[in-house]
Amino acid sequence: MARMKTAEVAVEIMKKEGITNVFGLPGAAINPFYKAMQTQGGLHHTLARHVEGASHMAEGYTRAKAGNIGVCVGTSGPAGTDMITGLYSASADSIPILCITGQAPVAKLHKEDFQAVDIASIARPLTKMAVTVLEPAQVPGTFQQAFHLMRSGRPGPVLIDLPIDVQLTEIEFDIDTYEPLPAFKPAASRKQIEKALDMLAASKRPLIVAGGGIINADAAELLVEFAELTGIPVVPTLMGWGTIPDDHDLNAGMVGLQTSHRYGNETMLASDFVLGIGNRWANRHTGGLDTYTKGRTFVHVDIEPTQIGRVFAPDFGIVSDAKAALALFVEVAKERRDALADRSAWAQDVRQRKQKLWRKTNFDVTPIKPQRVYQEMNKAFGKDVRYVSTIGLSQIQAAQMLHVFKDRHWINAGQAGPLGWTVPAAIGVATADPDSTVVAISGDYDFQFMIEELAVGAQFKVPYIHVLVNNAYLGLIRQAQRGFDMDYCVQLSFDNINSPELSGYGVDHVKVAEGLGCKAIRVFDPEEILPALEQAKKLIVEHRVPVIVEVILERVTNVSMGTEIDNVVEFEELADSGADAPTALYANLD
């Protein structure tokens, strides 16, 4: 066997596990690992400007393609603590990423050495494993276990902390005989699936709630097949958006307090049976549980045993990987094909809601109303676009008004919602799929949080379009403050002495973006939005850098939301016809 430094062993194992891309920042305590990447070759490294940014790039990279695992690397001390938000975001949404940190020498870990922090203890609540490797000979097994854990059961992140002396120690290691450990995923039994289908058969108005676990399991095609076999309409959650195309006859729309459709909420309220697969009953989906559950029977399928009953007790729970469960659902449904109930009248009822319960988007006023932005985005981008967003009024309205047709084409930090996530995550997505059109959506505050990462896209030629809706406000927080009768510490507006043309909108995002090596377009008039988006599509091809399309909005827009799914407040006028919502899915069909 060959003798190798453990840092070299780690690099070789990563390659054997299918890793090709790494996002990170070098530093003194992780330099041996960087030397190993240089000498061993085979890994493309993207140099982030902030370690939190690197962790979100890794997240975006994982989320973009089935089987991907994003890797972020940083030095000791603050590099690890900077990764914590990325670990939280990944853990909350069941996203596997591998975080690797450098560390002080083993003998100095208890001596308050420079940048020596017990990062494993800090990260442990947010990971499937967080470990400081104290024995060099344990490096191979630790990395092997890391990949095994990330892929097994509920997916999630892992942190491996490598003291510098451990990285430099030579051990005996035979990479030629290394094999990844098989992942473990629980699978439903046939009896469980048969019981669930028996319960479904007793219902009159059933729905399937399709969660992000279906996307994680790469099972969207099975979901659609099962829905078509049974004729049951599907409600995708925000994390499951794209599991069934928005224009599919059985897509019932999204349900919830914010990222939802009027027709989706109405359909949920009319249902009597709900089969949830790979979802977690998030509170912004359910609202008040009494309203959400009243008069309905629930079956819940999830890969994580402790997720069953976490939010409310279902009538029947099944612990299973979504793909394994859906494969059995399809198999048993095919066997029962002749006995399946005719759901066509219920499905038609669902479609009729979808054909009329729209929000208005066709506003032609100046300053621009945000609804018009999403209308023009629907026109500009086809069905293959990949959207990336995080949080805020921009994300909420995007989910209310955009259309998604494929899994992994709406990429969103769902449970954590960290501001600043969008720019680095979009870079990770575009790195994973450089040939697709990646479009990010941010408000001005999210955009400013990690704006420096735009330089990464410029340096490494990572093209994507970033639609920036600018109202110079912390818009979602401002709207939440209405209940406290205040508008306090949420203003981002000021008179920029260097950009008087902004008329009080504060930061000149165009100048900043251009200074970071990107292209940028600013829009003040609603008729300019579509031409700007079309120009952006040409610019990303020509220059292979991020292109920002900033739309200057009216300062205050209150976005549809509420506290119960039967009491979502509509602050703007609703659509009376297809002319009011020309890009609604069923508008102007005749």
Side-chain angles (χ1 to χ4, degrees):
M1 288 192 293
R3 288 190 65 80
M4 303 173 67
K5 293 178 181 177
T6 65
E8 296 169 340
V9 169
V11 168
E12 291 302 317
I13 289 176
M14 287 165 56
K15 291 190 292 185
K16 275 271 191 159
E17 294 281 358
I19 303 302
T20 58
N21 283 267
V22 175
F23 305 88
L25 285 78
I30 196 65
N31 270 339
F33 183 84
Y34 271 82
K35 179 61 177 177
M37 284 198 291
Q38 180 191 45
T39 57
Q40 304 301 106
L43 297 178
H44 176 269
H45 182 269
T46 299
L47 178 63
R49 298 304 190 265
H50 192 296
V51 189
E52 182 186 340
S55 68
H56 297 326
M57 290 174 198
E59 279 187 82
Y61 183 86
T62 296
R63 294 173 192 246
K65 186 178 179 182
N68 274 8
I69 292 182
V71 178
C72 56
V73 182
T75 191
S76 58
T81 56
D82 284 343
M83 290 179 182
I84 293 300
T85 300
L87 289 170
Y88 166 36
S89 178
S91 177
D93 289 346
S94 305
I95 304 299
I97 64 171
L98 175 60
C99 294
I100 302 171
T101 52
Q103 182 57 277
V106 172
K108 294 189 177 182
L109 291 180
H110 65 296
K111 294 180 181 292
E112 297 186 355
D113 207 44
F114 177 67
Q115 291 189 337
V117 66
D118 186 359
I119 191 61
S121 294
I122 295 170
R124 198 163 287 124
L126 299 171
T127 57
K128 297 191 76 174
M129 179 177 80
V131 59
T132 298
V133 184
L134 302 178
E135 295 292 338
Q138 288 189 305
V139 167
T142 301
F143 273 81
Q144 190 176 40
Q145 176 73 338
F147 283 99
H148 173 65
L149 288 174
M150 285 188 285
R151 295 179 177 128
S152 294
R154 179 182 180 179
V158 164
L159 180 136
I160 299 177
D161 187 43
L162 297 173
I164 188 169
D165 53 333
V166 170
Q167 295 175 60
L168 290 168
T169 301
E170 286 190 349
I171 62 172
E172 297 284 348
F173 182 70
D174 184 1
I175 188 60
D176 293 332
T177 61
Y178 179 89
E179 292 293 337
L181 294 173
F184 165 75
K185 295 183 183 297
S189 70
R190 186 178 178 87
K191 278 189 176 181
Q192 290 174 320
I193 297 301
E194 288 174 343
K195 178 173 179 176
L197 287 177
D198 289 343
M199 295 171 70
L200 186 153
S203 69
K204 294 180 179 179
R205 298 176 304 280
L207 289 176
I208 299 167
V209 170
I214 294 175
I215 292 177
N216 288 346
D218 198 27
E221 290 184 4
L222 283 169
L223 168 73
V224 174
E225 185 178 3
F226 176 61
E228 290 175 346
L229 275 168
T230 57
I232 300 175
V234 177
V235 168
T237 68
L238 183 66
M239 298 307 295
W241 197 12
T243 50
I244 185 169
D246 271 7
D247 60 354
H248 194 287
D249 280 349
L250 291 173
N251 184 313
M254 284 194 285
V255 170
L257 308 181
Q258 297 178 344
T259 56
S260 60
H261 301 108
R262 294 173 63 212
Y263 46 84
N265 282 350
E266 290 289 338
T267 289
M268 176 59 72
L269 291 166
S271 69
D272 65 355
F273 176 92
V274 178
L275 170 60
I277 305 176
N279 65 305
R280 59 183 179 86
W281 312 115
N283 65 303
R284 293 190 178 188
H285 167 81
T286 65
L289 294 177
D290 289 344
T291 301
Y292 188 82
T293 60
K294 184 178 180 180
R296 281 171 280 284
T297 299
F298 286 85
V299 173
H300 190 197
V301 180
D302 198 86
I303 196 170
E304 170 55 44
T306 62
Q307 202 70 21
I308 306 294
R310 182 184 293 271
V311 178
F312 62 86
D315 296 276
F316 184 50
I318 301 173
V319 177
S320 178
D321 168 68
K323 193 167 195 173
L326 279 165
L328 263 182
F329 271 121
V330 167
E331 180 182 317
V332 178
K334 284 181 177 178
E335 294 172 5
R336 297 185 177 189
R337 192 191 305 264
D338 294 338
L340 293 175
D342 182 359
R343 308 288 184 184
S344 57
W346 166 236
Q348 178 59 25
D349 187 34
V350 171
R351 281 194 296 275
Q352 285 176 348
R353 294 187 190 90
K354 198 172 178 181
Q355 290 166 4
K356 60 183 179 181
L357 295 178
W358 305 322
R359 296 182 173 105
K360 182 174 178 177
T361 59
N362 200 22
F363 295 96
D364 58 5
V365 297
T366 303
I368 297 167
K369 282 189 171 291
Q371 295 90 334
R372 179 65 181 269
V373 179
Y374 305 108
Q375 174 179 302
E376 302 308 313
M377 289 173 69
N378 283 331
K379 293 178 183 177
F381 304 116
K383 291 187 174 183
D384 290 332
V385 63
R386 289 184 183 268
Y387 288 120
V388 183
S389 191
T390 309
I391 195 171
L393 295 184
S394 57
Q395 174 245 20
I396 293 168
Q397 278 197 316
Q400 292 176 357
M401 295 169 181
L402 292 179
H403 307 310
V404 175
F405 302 93
K406 298 179 181 179
D407 60 315
R408 300 183 187 273
H409 282 232
W410 172 261
I411 294 174
N412 187 93
Q415 200 269 356
L419 282 164
W421 188 89
T422 311
V423 171
I427 290 170
V429 172
T431 300
D433 189 3
D435 297 324
S436 69
T437 300
V438 176
V439 178
I441 308 139
S442 286
D444 42 303
Y445 203 45
D446 172 58
F447 189 69
Q448 290 175 22
F449 248 63
M450 302 202 78
I451 197 170
E452 76 284 345
E453 303 305 320
L454 288 174
V456 178
Q459 179 179 356
F460 291 92
K461 299 295 183 184
V462 183
Y464 80 95
I465 296 170
H466 204 125
V467 178
L468 166 60
V469 286
N470 181 4
N471 61 1
Y473 246 126
L474 279 66
L476 179 57
I477 308 307
R478 176 207 55 76
Q479 186 166 339
Q481 286 187 352
R482 293 172 74 250
F484 295 90
D485 192 26
M486 67 176 179
D487 186 330
Y488 183 63
C489 296
V490 290
Q491 298 270 0
L492 297 176
S493 57
F494 63 91
D495 290 320
N496 189 326
I497 60 174
N498 298 306
S499 302
E501 69 275 13
L502 287 174
S503 302
Y505 273 71
V507 173
D508 190 331
H509 300 108
V510 169
K511 286 181 180 176
V512 175
E514 289 177 343
L516 291 167
C518 302
K519 289 288 186 180
I521 306 165
R522 181 179 291 126
V523 174
F524 289 97
D525 186 274
E527 297 302 323
E528 298 172 351
I529 300 171
L530 184 57
L533 296 174
E534 295 295 343
Q535 184 183 356
K537 290 194 291 187
K538 295 175 182 176
L539 289 172
I540 60 170
V541 174
E542 179 182 357
H543 298 287
R544 308 296 294 176
V545 298
V547 177
I548 290 77
V549 178
E550 179 185 37
V551 184
I552 303 298
L553 301 182
E554 63 184 6
R555 293 297 314 286
V556 173
T557 303
N558 291 314
V559 172
S560 306
M561 63 180 73
T563 57
E564 300 282 348
I565 62 171
D566 64 352
N567 189 30
V568 171
V569 180
E570 301 290 345
F571 295 93
E572 297 284 348
E573 59 187 290
L574 300 173
D576 290 329
S577 68
D580 289 335
T583 60
L585 284 166
Y586 288 93
N588 304 314
L589 289 183
D590 52 358

